[in-house]
Amino acid sequence: GTITGGAEITPLTGDATDIQVSYNAGASTIRMDGIEDIFINLGAGGDTVNVNTPLGGTALATSTIHVTGGTGTDTLDLTGRNGDAHRVVASGGDGTDTVKLDFAYTDITGVVAITGGFAITHNGITDEFTNFESFVFKGGLTQSAGDLAAPPPAPTITTVSDDAQFFTGSLTSGVGLTNDPTLIVHVTFGAGTFAGNTVQLYDGSTPLGSPVVLDATSIANGLDITTTSLPDGSHTLTAKVTDAFSGASSSVGFVVTEDHTPPNAPSITQVTDDVSPVAGPVADGGSTNDTTPTIRVSLSGTNAVSGDSVQLYNGTAALGSAVALTSTNISSGYVDITTGTLTDGTYDFRASVTDQAGNTGGLSNSGAFDITVDTSVNHAPAGLSDTLLTNAGTADFQIPECAL
């Protein structure tokens, strides 16, 4: 038969091994002992079935409570079950029906779609709910059956950051290079993403690391996830959110190109003095009175491209700022760099190339070009000694005759 006015399933006071089921608005009570299952069929009214207090220790075996709703708007209230091992198989019937659950969304460990609803595993048991329009989880989360069956909203990758020297900061999808193999990906989440959902980073179809379980804070503020080590080459990063009901949605891809290979070392082929009385190339090991000589750095064999940069050094100490290479420099095979003002002394000019990903190659060979800056004397013309003549002696000069 059917029950009207709902039902109350309660351990019998004074005899915890027995269970009583009160129905017909409390007018009728059934006392049960040593049973396997309870079946309750509701009538046409809007009825409520309450499972009051845990049933563990009663005569009801850890089997099943079956509830079948009628044509009215019915409510199945399991909050009193409080997580004991008695599973429930329930159908809401034809009305607009609600089930109030004694477990949180985050307690769900598995969901299988069945005809008209879900088989939900939690706390070591599996309940089955069909033909319910509304699910109220412990903690207050309320979702329609349609929302639970739908995939979660797609997440968004808002920034991808490089924190490896020399160039750090946010990257632009599909633009430029990075030498940081472990990028920081910031993911944000849309309304309808719930605590207990997971987010997984992917490189194409390859998962990067393990899924991260979302909580209320990460959903509200977004989440920073660091990739596993990415090799050289192009990578399309996506974030996928999966809910407890196996629905999943992915973000739009963010394209990065990894480059961890530094350029080869350049060489210094010439130092030029453009201060009188002697202007022109300065020999390796020579002297100059030019405090801002021009250094020619050969790019041959470096694999440098336009947009890379060259840094001058005195030994291992940087001289001035790096100079960006142009397409003209690349086609010419060299770049001329004028130093900042140098004080008197000996200089070991060296250079390195840094590519646009931030990889810096080795320095040109130590001692490859040493010069001395000396502004204290006037240097003789090329080919003559710098020895100064004094009045300590005499000198004979012969002036050749010339025709007038």
Side-chain angles (χ1 to χ4, degrees):
T2 60
I3 290 175
T4 60
E8 304 281 338
I9 303 174
T10 309
L12 190 62
T13 303
D15 189 349
T17 64
D18 287 1
I19 294 172
Q20 67 180 19
V21 178
S22 300
Y23 60 98
N24 292 333
S28 302
T29 300
I30 300 175
R31 175 174 173 170
M32 293 177 283
D33 187 9
I35 59 175
E36 294 290 333
D37 296 87
I38 297 175
F39 291 84
I40 297 175
N41 298 317
L42 301 177
D47 301 317
T48 298
V49 175
N50 295 310
V51 178
N52 297 320
T53 73
L55 300 175
T58 66
L60 179 64
T62 55
S63 187
T64 306
I65 300 170
H66 302 260
V67 178
T68 302
T71 57
T73 298
D74 302 318
T75 299
L76 173 60
D77 190 341
L78 300 179
T79 55
R81 181 178 60 165
N82 201 28
D84 74 17
H86 292 87
R87 66 187 293 261
V88 172
V89 175
S91 172
D94 296 329
T96 302
D97 306 308
T98 298
V99 56
K100 297 180 179 180
L101 303 166
D102 63 328
F103 56 90
Y105 187 91
T106 53
D107 293 329
I108 296 173
T109 55
V111 176
V112 176
I114 58 178
T115 302
F118 313 99
I120 303 176
T121 301
H122 63 94
N123 302 311
I125 60 175
T126 300
D127 295 327
E128 295 182 14
F129 303 103
T130 57
N131 301 315
F132 282 92
E133 283 67 42
S134 181
F135 290 75
V136 181
F137 292 91
K138 183 178 179 180
L141 174 65
T142 300
Q143 286 291 294
S144 70
D147 286 341
L148 292 177
T156 301
I157 294 177
T158 55
T159 59
V160 176
S161 300
D162 174 329
D163 63 356
Q165 292 289 355
F166 283 87
F167 307 124
T168 61
S170 295
L171 305 177
T172 300
S173 179
V175 178
L177 306 171
T178 176
N179 67 336
D180 186 352
T182 52
L183 299 170
I184 301 171
V185 181
H186 187 74
V187 185
T188 56
F189 308 95
T193 305
F194 306 125
N197 289 172
T198 61
V199 60
Q200 171 72 62
L201 282 185
Y202 286 85
D203 174 13
S205 60
T206 302
L208 299 175
S210 301
V212 178
V213 178
L214 298 176
D215 57 21
T217 299
S218 58
I219 292 170
N221 300 331
L223 187 66
D224 285 337
I225 307 174
T226 301
T227 69
T228 54
S229 185
L230 300 173
D232 278 7
S234 179
H235 304 270
T236 300
L237 305 178
T238 57
K240 179 187 286 186
V241 170
T242 302
D243 64 23
F245 286 71
S246 300
S249 296
S250 295
S251 68
V252 173
F254 193 107
V255 179
V256 299
T257 300
E258 293 281 347
D259 178 7
H260 311 146
T261 304
N264 294 322
S267 57
I268 293 177
T269 56
Q270 183 175 290
V271 175
T272 302
D273 175 329
D274 61 1
V275 174
S276 61
V278 179
V282 180
D284 182 18
S287 298
T288 178
N289 67 335
D290 186 351
T291 58
T292 56
T294 299
I295 315 300
R296 175 161 293 184
V297 181
S298 171
L299 304 174
S300 176
T302 62
N303 299 319
V305 298
S306 178
D308 292 352
S309 60
V310 171
Q311 175 68 58
L312 282 182
Y313 293 85
N314 174 26
T316 57
L319 287 176
S321 301
V323 175
L325 297 175
T326 66
S327 57
T328 300
N329 297 142
I330 300 303
S331 60
S332 300
Y334 66 86
V335 59
D336 286 337
I337 303 174
T338 299
T339 71
T341 302
L342 304 177
T343 59
D344 283 7
T346 299
Y347 291 84
D348 172 18
F349 288 124
R350 305 174 73 181
S352 68
V353 178
T354 298
D355 65 22
Q356 294 166 75
N359 302 297
T360 298
L363 292 172
S364 53
N365 292 334
S366 177
F369 224 109
D370 295 343
I371 68 166
T372 298
V373 175
D374 183 0
T375 60
S376 62
V377 297
N378 291 319
H379 294 274
L384 297 181
S385 170
D386 281 343
T387 303
L388 296 177
L389 295 178
T390 70
N391 61 4
T394 59
D396 292 330
F397 295 93
Q398 290 184 343
I399 300 175
E401 293 181 358
C402 57
L404 297 177

